Amino acid sequence: MQAPSMDAWLEEAKMSPEADLCGMYLTHNGVVRITPKRQMREGIEGIGDVRAVRFSYDAEGLAAAIEEAKGFPGIHYVRVWLNEGELAVGESLMYVLIGGDIRPNVIDALQKLVGKIKNELVVEEEVYV
């Protein structure tokens, strides 16, 4: 699946009806890395290198999460793209763009939305070398 252009997304966001309410935009680009998640988070060694990640998501849950994020304090723009399939190291898993009034609100919203996506809406299965 073709990943979106963040430059194009930002240009579209700045042309949206809500643009004059946004003083900050933040993006997140999740990427397949070679180091296993369990090694990064739990310090478990000897798992092997990641070759790919099998990635899928709950589309209805994502749509609901996006709507919820639009209701976060100070948030006026939300856009999300998730990839699917078996993705190699270096390929993008997701892009998230959040626009809002001030830095603390935008940072908080990005953290909440990405956390919800990662913890509740996606299935990731690492494939090792």
Side-chain angles (χ1 to χ4, degrees):
M1 185 181 300
Q2 180 66 36
S5 161
M6 282 299 95
D7 289 336
W9 273 23
L10 282 166
E11 287 305 313
E12 289 173 21
K14 291 175 183 178
M15 300 295 286
S16 75
E18 303 85 6
D20 59 349
L21 300 171
C22 295
M24 178 180 192
Y25 293 94
L26 280 179
T27 62
H28 168 79
N29 176 212
V31 178
V32 178
R33 67 175 174 273
I34 197 167
T35 309
K37 185 185 291 188
R38 290 181 62 205
Q39 182 176 328
M40 296 298 300
R41 300 214 172 154
E42 302 169 29
I44 298 173
E45 299 284 338
I47 299 170
D49 289 341
V50 172
R51 176 182 60 78
V53 169
R54 292 185 186 115
F55 192 80
S56 62
Y57 66 95
D58 171 2
E60 288 181 16
L62 178 62
I66 291 168
E67 287 307 308
E68 178 184 23
K70 289 177 181 177
F72 292 164
I75 299 308
H76 304 288
Y77 193 87
V78 179
R79 190 158 181 191
V80 178
W81 172 87
L82 297 182
N83 210 342
E84 288 187 290
E86 187 165 303
L87 309 171
V89 171
E91 285 190 86
S92 292
L93 298 164
M94 75 172 69
Y95 281 98
V96 177
L97 172 64
I98 302 238
D101 55 1
I102 58 174
R103 184 179 59 241
N105 287 339
V106 180
I107 291 170
D108 188 46
L110 181 68
Q111 191 168 18
K112 283 181 186 175
L113 180 55
V114 171
K116 183 173 190 81
I117 292 168
K118 294 288 288 179
N119 296 324
E120 299 177 25
L121 302 174
V122 302
V123 176
E124 296 177 85
E125 178 188 351
E126 294 177 328
V127 179
Y128 304 103
V129 174

